[in-house]
Amino acid sequence: MSWKKQPFLFYPLLVCLILFGIDKLFFLPVVVENTHSWKKIERSFYELKEDLYQVLLDENKKDPSKKIGLIFGSSRSGEFDSEHIRKFVPNTNSFNFAAPLGPPSFQYYWLNRLLSEKLPISYVMVEIDPILFTKASIDYSLNGSYDMKFVLEHLDYYRARSSNPWRTEADGFSVDEVETYFLKKLFALYKYPLDPSAIKANNKEIEVGFIPVAGLGITGKEHKRGYLDKIKQANRIKFGALPNEIKFANADFFLEKDAENIYNQYLKHYQLSPTQIYFFKEIVRIMEGKNIPIIFYYPVVADPLRRRMEESGIWKEFHKETLEIVRTLDSKPNSPYFIVDPMNESRWTCKDFVDSLHLSGACFPNLLPILFPKDLIKSD
C-alpha cells in the first residue's frame, strides 16, 4: 500500500507538526512578553545568569590579576554586593549567582561550570537552608536553566525509594524532574501556559507610586521590561547583586503572620528532595582539594520562623545532616571551609526584617564581617 494512495494516513502526523510549529511561536520574546504575566519575574533571574557568566568572563579577560568570588543561594543571598565584600576580601570581584529559591542543583550547575574555566577564584559562598532542600525548590530552575547535557548526565534513572531522603542513594535528577525539564524546554505552552487574564494585565497601566494616573503610567509588560534591564545592569555594575534598598523593620505582628504563612507553605508538610541532597553532596565533593575557601552560610530568618523550624524538629535534623556532609572535608587535604550561622553569633545585633525571610538592607553591614572572617583572607 503506497502512501500516495492513502495520504490520509499521514494527516495526523501533519497536524502534529503544524501544532508543534505553532507552539514554537509562543517562545518568541514578543509573544512571551504579551502572554506571560508581568508579575512572574522569578525565572528571569535564572535565565539571566548566562548574561552574568559572560560578564564574569569579560571582566576576567580585562584584568586577570583580579580574583573572583562566587556567591550561590536564594534571594536572601542576592543582596551581597561585590563592592562591600571587597572591604573584607581585597582584590576580588564577587559575582552573585543567587536566584529565588536557588536550590543546590542550580548552585552546583554553576559552580561546576565556573570551576572548569580555571578562574582565579578567591572564595565560594553557598547558602544552605531547609526550604532550598524541599521538592518545591526545583520548580523555577527546571524552566530551562540547565543545559541538556548537564541534565542527561545527571539523570538518576534507577533511583531506589527510601523512607529517609538523607540516606537515599540518589544520583542526580529524578525521571519525573527530567521529564518536566524537557517538556518545558520543548513546548512553549507547557513553559508559558496561556492565560487570557495575563494578556489583559500585561497591556494595562499599572499603578505608579501606588497612585494610578491615567495616561502617565506604564503597562505591566513595560514595567517587567524595565526590571529585566535593571537586572542586566546589575550584572555589569554590581556583578549580579541587587542590594536591598528597604531599610525599615517590619512590625512584630506582621513577621509572626508571615512566618506562619511561610511555614505552612514550605515546611508544614516538609518533603526533602533526594535530588537536592545529592547535589549538595556534589558541591562539597567538587571542592575537595581545590584549596579554595568555601563558606557554608545558614541564612538568617526572623525569630518567629526560626522558632517554628526548631519546635517542629526540622532545624535540628537539617543542621545535623548538612554539617555531617560538610565535615567530610576535614579528612581532605587543601579543602578549607567555614560554617557560618549568624543567628548563633553574638556579633549579629541588627535584627530588622522586611519579612520573615529577608533581612532589612540596613543590616547587611553588620552581617558581612560575620560572613567573611579574617581567616578567609589569610587563606586567600
Side-chain angles (χ1 to χ4, degrees):
M1 181 175 63
S2 170
W3 69 267
K4 292 181 179 180
K5 295 180 181 179
Q6 306 288 341
F8 62 87
L9 294 176
F10 289 86
Y11 290 168
L13 177 60
L14 181 61
V15 170
C16 288
L17 289 173
I18 292 171
L19 291 176
F20 187 74
I22 292 172
D23 175 82
K24 297 298 144 305
L25 295 175
F26 287 87
F27 274 130
L28 295 174
V30 66
V31 178
V32 173
E33 183 180 65
N34 282 280
T35 61
H36 188 62
S37 174
W38 67 271
K39 296 180 180 180
K40 295 181 179 179
I41 195 74
E42 295 86 357
R43 70 181 63 182
S44 298
F45 283 93
Y46 285 84
E47 293 165 352
L48 287 173
K49 296 309 173 195
E50 288 288 345
D51 179 64
L52 178 61
Y53 173 63
Q54 291 302 319
V55 172
L56 184 155
L57 296 180
D58 291 343
E59 288 293 324
N60 183 57
K61 286 180 182 177
K62 282 195 292 186
D63 187 358
S65 67
K66 187 84 74 174
K67 295 200 172 181
I68 292 170
L70 300 174
I71 297 170
F72 303 100
S74 70
S75 58
R76 287 169 286 176
S77 295
E79 299 160 12
F80 293 118
D81 186 340
S82 180
E83 182 181 350
H84 297 149
I85 294 172
R86 199 173 292 122
K87 298 172 185 176
F88 304 92
V89 189
N91 194 41
T92 296
N93 288 332
S94 296
F95 291 84
N96 198 316
F97 283 83
L101 279 182
S105 54
F106 187 69
Q107 297 175 15
Y108 173 78
Y109 171 71
W110 277 110
L111 177 60
N112 186 44
R113 281 184 67 175
L114 291 162
L115 287 175
S116 70
E117 294 286 349
K118 308 298 182 184
L119 300 163
I121 297 175
S122 175
Y123 73 89
V124 172
M125 191 185 91
V126 169
E127 176 191 324
I128 45 177
D129 174 83
I131 293 175
L132 302 188
F133 281 64
T134 61
K135 291 184 177 180
S137 68
I138 200 172
D139 288 349
Y140 291 138
S141 64
L142 284 177
N143 280 288
S145 299
Y146 312 103
D147 60 55
M148 288 189 185
K149 181 182 177 183
F150 177 81
V151 172
L152 291 174
E153 285 177 347
H154 293 88
L155 168 58
D156 184 4
Y157 195 76
Y158 298 105
R159 180 179 297 178
R161 292 185 178 274
S162 171
S163 58
N164 185 348
W166 294 104
R167 303 294 171 260
T168 300
E169 293 298 320
D171 195 29
F173 298 104
S174 70
V175 172
D176 288 344
E177 289 163 346
V178 172
E179 179 184 13
T180 299
Y181 168 83
F182 277 102
L183 284 172
K184 289 177 180 288
K185 194 79 171 175
L186 296 174
F187 297 99
L189 289 175
Y190 195 91
K191 183 174 183 177
Y192 304 110
L194 197 57
D195 181 1
S197 64
I199 298 173
K200 181 179 178 181
N202 289 345
N203 291 280
K204 182 181 177 182
E205 284 189 1
I206 63 173
E207 295 179 356
V208 179
F210 304 105
I211 303 174
V213 183
L216 296 179
I218 59 173
T219 63
K221 68 180 182 182
E222 289 170 340
H223 174 79
K224 184 174 183 178
R225 193 186 304 154
Y227 196 79
L228 295 181
D229 288 340
K230 182 180 177 181
I231 298 174
K232 292 177 183 177
Q233 185 180 28
N235 284 349
R236 284 150 183 78
I237 298 174
K238 297 288 186 180
F239 298 144
L242 284 173
N244 186 351
E245 302 299 333
I246 303 175
K247 307 298 183 184
F248 66 84
N250 236 313
D252 290 344
F253 74 87
F254 172 83
L255 296 178
E256 284 282 356
K257 183 63 177 176
D258 189 65
E260 181 183 353
N261 292 338
I262 292 295
Y263 181 82
N264 289 338
Q265 182 177 358
Y266 293 107
L267 301 171
K268 187 174 184 178
H269 304 290
Y270 191 50
Q271 285 189 300
L272 278 165
S273 166
T275 296
Q276 302 309 331
I277 293 171
Y278 163 79
F279 279 110
F280 179 65
K281 290 177 179 177
E282 286 296 284
I283 289 171
V284 174
R285 180 195 61 77
I286 203 173
M287 293 301 292
E288 292 176 5
K290 294 289 192 299
N291 204 26
I292 299 171
I294 180 168
I295 304 165
F296 294 98
Y297 166 48
Y298 292 97
V300 295
V301 296
D303 285 338
L305 182 57
R306 179 70 168 245
R307 186 174 64 249
R308 280 173 168 78
M309 288 194 290
E310 290 175 346
E311 290 172 351
S312 65
I314 288 172
W315 177 253
K316 182 178 179 181
E317 180 192 34
F318 180 80
H319 194 248
K320 172 181 172 292
E321 294 289 350
T322 50
L323 282 182
E324 187 176 306
I325 294 169
V326 169
R327 285 176 174 153
T328 59
L329 291 173
D330 287 336
S331 61
K332 310 296 181 182
N334 300 314
S335 305
Y337 70 90
F338 300 84
I339 298 169
V340 183
D341 183 0
M343 297 191 75
N344 290 329
E345 280 270 357
S346 60
R347 291 179 294 164
W348 182 50
T349 56
C350 185
K351 302 182 181 182
D352 297 338
F353 285 85
V354 176
D355 56 38
S356 60
L357 286 174
H358 296 91
L359 195 64
S360 164
C363 290
F364 277 80
N366 177 213
L367 189 60
L368 286 173
I370 299 172
L371 268 170
F372 297 95
K374 292 180 180 178
D375 289 345
L376 179 72
I377 300 172
K378 291 178 182 177
S379 300
D380 184 16

Coordinates of all heavy atoms in Angstrom, one line a residue, residues 22-23 25-26 31-32 34-37 40 187-200 202:
I22 N 3.3 25.8 15.6 CA 2.5 26.9 16.2 C 3.0 27.1 17.7 O 3.1 28.3 18.1 CB 1.0 26.7 16.2 CG1 0.5 26.7 14.7 CG2 0.2 27.7 17.0 CD1 -0.9 26.2 14.5
D23 N 3.2 26.0 18.4 CA 3.6 26.1 19.8 C 5.0 26.9 19.9 O 5.2 27.7 20.8 CB 3.8 24.7 20.3 CG 4.4 24.7 21.7 OD1 3.6 24.9 22.7 OD2 5.6 24.6 21.9
L25 N 5.9 29.4 18.3 CA 5.7 30.8 18.2 C 5.6 31.4 19.6 O 5.9 32.6 19.8 CB 4.4 31.1 17.4 CG 4.4 30.7 15.9 CD1 3.0 31.0 15.3 CD2 5.5 31.5 15.2
F26 N 5.1 30.6 20.6 CA 5.0 31.1 21.9 C 6.3 31.2 22.7 O 6.3 31.7 23.8 CB 4.0 30.3 22.7 CG 2.5 30.5 22.2 CD1 2.0 29.7 21.2 CD2 1.7 31.4 22.8 CE1 0.7 29.9 20.7 CE2 0.4 31.6 22.4 CZ -0.1 30.9 21.3
V31 N 6.0 37.5 22.0 CA 4.8 36.7 22.4 C 4.8 36.5 23.9 O 3.8 36.7 24.6 CB 4.7 35.4 21.6 CG1 3.4 34.6 22.1 CG2 4.6 35.7 20.1
V32 N 5.9 36.1 24.4 CA 6.1 35.8 25.9 C 5.8 37.1 26.6 O 5.1 37.1 27.7 CB 7.5 35.3 26.2 CG1 7.7 35.3 27.7 CG2 7.8 34.0 25.6
N34 N 3.8 39.4 26.0 CA 2.4 39.7 26.0 C 1.5 38.7 26.6 O 0.4 39.0 27.1 CB 1.9 40.0 24.5 CG 2.3 41.4 24.0 OD1 1.7 42.4 24.4 ND2 3.4 41.4 23.3
T35 N 1.9 37.4 26.7 CA 1.1 36.4 27.2 C 1.5 35.8 28.5 O 0.6 35.2 29.2 CB 1.1 35.2 26.2 OG1 2.4 34.7 26.0 CG2 0.6 35.6 24.8
H36 N 2.7 36.1 29.0 CA 3.2 35.6 30.3 C 3.1 36.7 31.3 O 3.6 37.8 31.0 CB 4.6 35.0 30.2 CG 5.1 34.3 31.4 ND1 4.5 33.2 31.9 CD2 6.1 34.6 32.2 CE1 5.1 32.8 33.0 NE2 6.1 33.6 33.2
S37 N 2.5 36.5 32.4 CA 2.2 37.5 33.4 C 3.5 38.3 33.8 O 4.5 37.8 34.1 CB 1.6 36.9 34.7 OG 1.5 37.9 35.7
K40 N 5.3 37.6 37.0 CA 6.2 36.4 37.2 C 7.6 36.7 36.7 O 7.9 36.5 35.5 CB 5.5 35.2 36.5 CG 4.2 34.8 37.0 CD 3.6 33.6 36.3 CE 2.3 33.2 37.0 NZ 1.6 32.1 36.3
F187 N 8.3 22.5 24.7 CA 6.9 23.0 24.5 C 6.6 24.3 25.2 O 6.6 24.4 26.4 CB 5.9 22.0 24.9 CG 6.0 20.7 24.2 CD1 6.7 19.6 24.7 CD2 5.4 20.5 22.9 CE1 6.8 18.4 24.1 CE2 5.5 19.3 22.2 CZ 6.2 18.3 22.8
A188 N 6.5 25.4 24.4 CA 6.3 26.7 24.9 C 5.1 26.8 25.8 O 5.1 27.5 26.9 CB 6.2 27.7 23.8
L189 N 4.0 26.2 25.4 CA 2.7 26.3 26.2 C 2.8 25.5 27.5 O 1.9 25.7 28.3 CB 1.5 25.9 25.3 CG 1.2 26.9 24.2 CD1 0.1 26.4 23.3 CD2 0.8 28.3 24.8
Y190 N 3.8 24.7 27.6 CA 4.0 24.0 28.9 C 4.8 24.9 29.8 O 4.6 25.0 31.0 CB 4.7 22.7 28.6 CG 4.7 21.7 29.8 CD1 3.6 20.8 30.0 CD2 5.7 21.8 30.8 CE1 3.6 19.9 31.1 CE2 5.6 20.9 31.9 CZ 4.6 20.0 32.0 OH 4.5 19.2 33.1
K191 N 5.8 25.6 29.2 CA 6.6 26.5 30.0 C 5.8 27.8 30.3 O 5.9 28.4 31.4 CB 7.9 26.8 29.2 CG 8.8 27.7 29.9 CD 10.2 27.9 29.2 CE 11.2 28.7 30.0 NZ 12.5 28.8 29.3
Y192 N 5.1 28.3 29.3 CA 4.3 29.5 29.4 C 2.8 29.3 29.2 O 2.3 29.6 28.1 CB 4.8 30.6 28.5 CG 6.3 30.9 28.5 CD1 7.1 30.5 27.5 CD2 6.8 31.6 29.6 CE1 8.5 30.8 27.6 CE2 8.2 31.9 29.7 CZ 9.0 31.5 28.7 OH 10.3 31.8 28.7
P193 N 2.1 28.7 30.1 CA 0.7 28.3 29.9 C -0.1 29.6 29.5 O 0.1 30.7 30.1 CB 0.2 27.8 31.3 CG 1.5 27.3 32.0 CD 2.6 28.3 31.5
L194 N -0.9 29.4 28.6 CA -1.7 30.6 28.1 C -2.7 31.0 29.1 O -3.5 30.2 29.6 CB -2.4 30.2 26.7 CG -2.9 31.3 25.9 CD1 -1.8 32.3 25.5 CD2 -3.6 30.8 24.6
D195 N -2.7 32.3 29.4 CA -3.6 32.9 30.4 C -4.2 34.2 29.9 O -3.5 35.2 29.9 CB -2.8 33.1 31.7 CG -3.7 33.7 32.8 OD1 -4.9 33.9 32.6 OD2 -3.1 34.0 33.9
P196 N -5.4 34.2 29.4 CA -6.1 35.4 28.8 C -6.0 36.6 29.8 O -5.9 37.7 29.3 CB -7.5 34.9 28.5 CG -7.4 33.4 28.4 CD -6.3 33.0 29.3
S197 N -6.2 36.3 31.1 CA -6.2 37.4 32.0 C -4.8 38.1 32.1 O -4.7 39.3 32.3 CB -6.5 36.9 33.4 OG -5.6 36.0 33.9
A198 N -3.7 37.3 31.9 CA -2.4 37.8 31.8 C -2.2 38.8 30.7 O -1.5 39.8 30.8 CB -1.3 36.7 31.8
I199 N -2.8 38.4 29.5 CA -2.6 39.2 28.3 C -3.2 40.6 28.6 O -2.6 41.6 28.2 CB -3.3 38.6 27.1 CG1 -2.7 37.2 26.8 CG2 -3.3 39.5 25.9 CD1 -3.4 36.4 25.7
K200 N -4.4 40.6 29.2 CA -5.0 41.9 29.6 C -4.2 42.7 30.6 O -4.0 43.9 30.4 CB -6.4 41.6 30.1 CG -7.2 42.9 30.5 CD -8.6 42.5 31.0 CE -9.3 43.8 31.4 NZ -10.7 43.5 32.0
N202 N -1.0 42.5 31.2 CA 0.3 42.9 30.7 C 0.2 44.2 29.9 O 1.2 45.0 29.8 CB 0.9 41.8 29.7 CG 1.4 40.6 30.5 OD1 1.5 40.7 31.7 ND2 1.6 39.5 29.8

